[in-house]
Every structure is written in structure tokens, then in C-alpha cells.
């Protein structure tokens, strides 16, 4: 069956939701950032600092290519992955279903502010907001949009994802 790709900005809960969705659908789960860290033997922050964002983006696309060789995966992508037209093309050409997790900005900002030292793209609210607004049109190209609608609990969001997927014949 088609791979499921969770997309959206940093802090929307792609990883937590993805794990629950994978468990419910009995699929393997891949966190793209974790896969990159494992392959390169460096944290995301170290990759950005030592090799630069370009090298990170290349590694991200290569890792995504690998997912497209498999089926039945639930993949949590990094917040920038879906902004690359070739990454988007790959996800969709390979038959994958992309799901945009779309909580309001305030929720995202609260999560980012709570801090994760491994997020090099998080600088401050101004920069994050600009990046978010610039990326929104890309996220809106996803096959499905999920609005957590005030309940950010990964179990509840995952339930919404599974319900939406049930409408997509090749994904459920
Ligand atoms: C990035 C988001 C991160 C990670 C990297 C770059 C981005 O993933 O891929 O730090 O460009 O938004 P999360 O969305 O899981 O934080």
C-alpha cells in the first residue's frame, strides 16, 4: 500500500502523530530526521553547523528517495522537506499520500518556544513566523489537510488522520 507522509511545520507533532498512526495501521514508522542522523552519525544541529544546510537538504532528499523504494510506511518528514518541488514530486509520483498537520500558529509557537536544541531553523518568533508563512502554500499542496482543532493529543490527531485515510482507497 501507498506510503503515508506527514508534512507540516516544525512543532506540529508529525513524529508523535506518525508513531501512533503507524501503530494503528500496523505499518513501519520512519522519522526522516532520525534516519538522517543515524546514517550520518551526527545530530541535525551538527549537520547544519559542520556541513551546512545544503548538505542536510541533500541527505533529506536521499533519505526520502529510500522511503519511496518501500511500501506500507508512515513517514514523518522534517518541516522543510515538503517545500522542495522534487521531494513533493517524489512522494506523489511514488503513489504516496501526503498529510498536512495544520494546527494554528499559536500552538506551534508555544511548542517551539518550549525549546528543542536540535532545531537549527528555530531562531526566534519573527524568523519562525516568516518561514511558516513562506512555507504554507507548499504544505497546502498536500493530499489531505488535518486540523487538530484545539486538541493536540497525538492519539486524537492520529484518529483524525486514520479517518481521513479511510477515504483514500490505496492508503488504507
Ligand atoms: C527543519 C525541520 C526539522 C529538521 C531540520 C530542518 C525545517 O524537522 O528537519 O531541523 O527546515 O523546518 P521538524 O519539523 O521535525 O522539527
Amino acid at each position: 500500500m501507498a506510503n503515508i507522509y506527514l508534512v507540516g511545520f516544525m512543532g506540529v507533532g508529525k513524529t508523535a502523530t506518525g508513531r501512533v498512526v503507524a501503530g494503528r495501521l500496523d505499518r513501519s514508522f520512519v522519522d526522516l530526521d532520525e534516519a538522517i542522523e543515524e546514517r550520518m552519525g551526527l545530530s541535525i544541529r551538527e549537520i547544519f553547523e559542520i556541513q551546512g544546510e545544503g548538505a542536510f537538504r541533500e541527505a533529506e532528499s536521499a533519505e526520502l528517495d529510500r522511503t519511496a523504494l518501500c511500501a506500507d510506511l508512515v513517514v514523518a518528514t522534517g518541516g522543510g522537506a515538503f517545500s522542495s518541488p522534487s521531494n513533493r514530486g517524489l512522494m506523489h509520483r511514488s503513489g504516496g499520500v501526503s498529510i498536512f498537520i495544520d494546527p494554528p500558529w499559536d500552538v506551534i509557537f508555544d511548542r517551539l518556544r518550549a525549546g528543542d536544541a536540535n532545531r537549527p531553523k528555530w531562531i526566534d518568533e519573527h524568523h519562525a513566523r516568516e518561514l511558516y508563512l513562506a512555507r504554507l502554500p507548499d504544505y497546502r499542496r498536500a493530499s489531505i489537510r488535518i486540523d487538530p482543532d484545539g486538541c493536540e493529543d497525538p492519539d486524537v490527531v492520529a484518529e483524525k488522520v486514520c479517518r481521513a485515510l479511510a477515504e483514500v482507497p490505496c492508503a488504507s
Side-chain angles (χ1 to χ4, degrees):
M1 278 183 291
N3 287 339
I4 295 160
Y5 293 96
L6 299 183
V7 308
F9 202 62
M10 296 178 274
V12 301
K14 297 170 300 247
T15 300
T17 303
R19 281 190 207 287
V20 180
V21 171
R24 287 192 183 201
L25 300 181
D26 201 20
R27 290 173 174 237
S28 298
F29 175 70
V30 175
D31 181 88
L32 214 58
D33 284 342
E34 281 175 21
I36 296 165
E37 288 183 321
E38 212 167 285
R39 197 171 297 278
M40 298 185 77
L42 294 168
S43 70
I44 298 295
R45 179 166 289 283
E46 286 168 337
I47 300 168
F48 270 72
E49 282 174 2
I50 298 167
Q51 304 190 1
E53 181 167 351
F56 171 77
R57 296 297 168 199
E58 276 176 32
E60 185 176 54
S61 296
E63 211 56 59
L64 208 53
D65 279 352
R66 290 186 190 95
T67 67
L69 299 175
C70 308
D72 283 342
L73 301 178
V74 176
V75 182
T77 66
F82 207 64
S83 286
S84 150
S86 64
N87 287 349
R88 283 199 302 270
L90 179 87
M91 291 180 223
H92 293 155
R93 265 197 324 276
S94 61
V97 179
S98 54
I99 302 187
F100 171 29
I101 311 284
D102 186 22
W105 170 252
D106 291 356
V107 171
I108 298 174
F109 176 55
D110 278 350
R111 290 220 188 124
L112 293 177
R113 196 171 39 179
D116 177 346
N118 201 24
R119 280 203 171 114
K121 296 297 280 184
W122 161 247
I123 300 166
D124 57 31
E125 180 174 15
H126 172 73
H127 286 92
R129 174 98 182 141
E130 296 277 299
L131 190 58
Y132 169 75
L133 291 175
R135 286 176 174 174
L136 261 183
D138 302 324
Y139 298 140
R140 288 183 175 142
R141 293 169 186 264
S143 325
I144 294 171
R145 171 180 168 268
I146 298 292
D147 178 357
D149 204 18
C151 183
E152 315 304 326
D153 178 339
D155 285 322
V156 177
V157 181
E159 172 62 29
K160 290 189 176 190
V161 170
C162 291
R163 256 190 271 134
L165 282 168
E167 312 280 310
V168 182
C170 61
S172 53

